[in-house]
Amino acid sequence: METRKRLITAAQKLLWERGHARTSPKDIQAAASAGQGSMYHHLHSKEDLSVAVLEVAARAMRHDAEASFSGPGTALEKLEGYLRRRRDGHHGCRIRQMTCFAGALASPALMAPVTTTRNWLLEAVADAARRSIENGELRDDIDPTTLAYNAATVVRGGCPLARAHGNPSQFGAAVDGAVSTLERVAA
């Protein structure tokens, strides 16, 4: 299992830095100090390895989001905390980075951890919005599902914006805009 863990860790780093298309199995093997036979013993293909990496990234993303939503504070403060949670504004989301190549969309195996995590996250944000409305923190004409999609768009879209401008603070500006909008719709 140690070799498998090294392969997944190396693949996670390389896939995040280079993307899926520019990372070869040989690159991953070299970074993990593992031979080709070891790689294919533990993970049968580059796709299997990519799925394992996405599953690790999805668990980490969910863990971080759960921490935002389970901490102290009002439901509205938790929403703002989720938006303001520290992220790498330059490299961006590990899951988004890996699924922005054409092959990911065509692979049900690669999309499964992405879809599961995305659906969970949208529901967690919508649930926090519903609680904010019920607690009188947000106006009752706010649609929790729409708010969840907006929050997800800001978080996932802020990273490419920052990268395109070569300035990680652009991510913070996107989040500030979303938080400002939340404050404007507060009850």
Side-chain angles (χ1 to χ4, degrees):
M1 289 308 281
E2 181 62 33
T3 302
R4 178 183 166 85
K5 186 175 180 177
R6 281 196 332 266
L7 285 162
I8 291 170
T9 300
Q12 189 174 28
K13 181 179 185 305
L14 291 171
L15 291 168
W16 193 38
E17 290 173 354
R18 299 179 184 178
H20 194 271
R22 295 187 336 221
T23 302
S24 73
K26 288 192 182 299
D27 296 334
I28 295 166
Q29 292 161 19
S33 299
Q36 183 176 0
S38 288
M39 180 172 162
Y40 291 110
H41 170 74
H42 292 284
L43 301 142
H44 302 288
S45 65
K46 184 179 176 185
E47 182 177 75
D48 285 348
L49 180 58
S50 297
V51 168
V53 168
L54 283 169
E55 288 170 346
V56 168
R59 279 192 302 274
M61 181 183 290
R62 186 171 176 157
H63 176 268
D64 291 346
E66 285 174 338
S68 296
F69 293 121
S70 66
T74 67
L76 183 58
E77 289 169 342
K78 290 176 185 183
L79 274 172
E80 290 181 8
Y82 166 72
L83 286 167
R84 292 198 184 278
R85 187 174 54 77
R86 190 172 186 280
R87 295 173 177 88
D88 184 329
H90 180 70
H91 283 100
C93 170
R94 291 176 189 263
I95 290 178
R96 191 203 62 76
Q97 179 94 357
M98 288 181 58
T99 56
C100 283
F101 71 98
L105 297 175
S107 169
L110 282 172
M111 290 308 295
V114 174
T115 302
T116 300
T117 301
R118 181 202 63 218
N119 291 345
W120 176 87
L121 187 58
L122 289 170
E123 186 52 39
V125 174
D127 186 55
R130 278 186 213 94
R131 286 194 319 274
S132 292
I133 293 165
E134 290 166 4
N135 296 340
E137 299 163 347
L138 288 176
R139 294 188 334 229
D140 62 5
D141 62 340
I142 300 303
D143 177 35
T145 302
T146 300
L147 192 143
Y149 275 94
N150 286 338
T153 300
V154 167
V155 170
R156 299 296 160 248
C159 294
L161 177 68
R163 193 174 21 243
H165 288 275
N167 183 350
S169 70
Q170 294 293 314
F171 178 81
V175 168
D176 288 344
V179 170
S180 175
T181 300
L182 275 178
E183 291 168 353
R184 282 195 298 276
V185 297

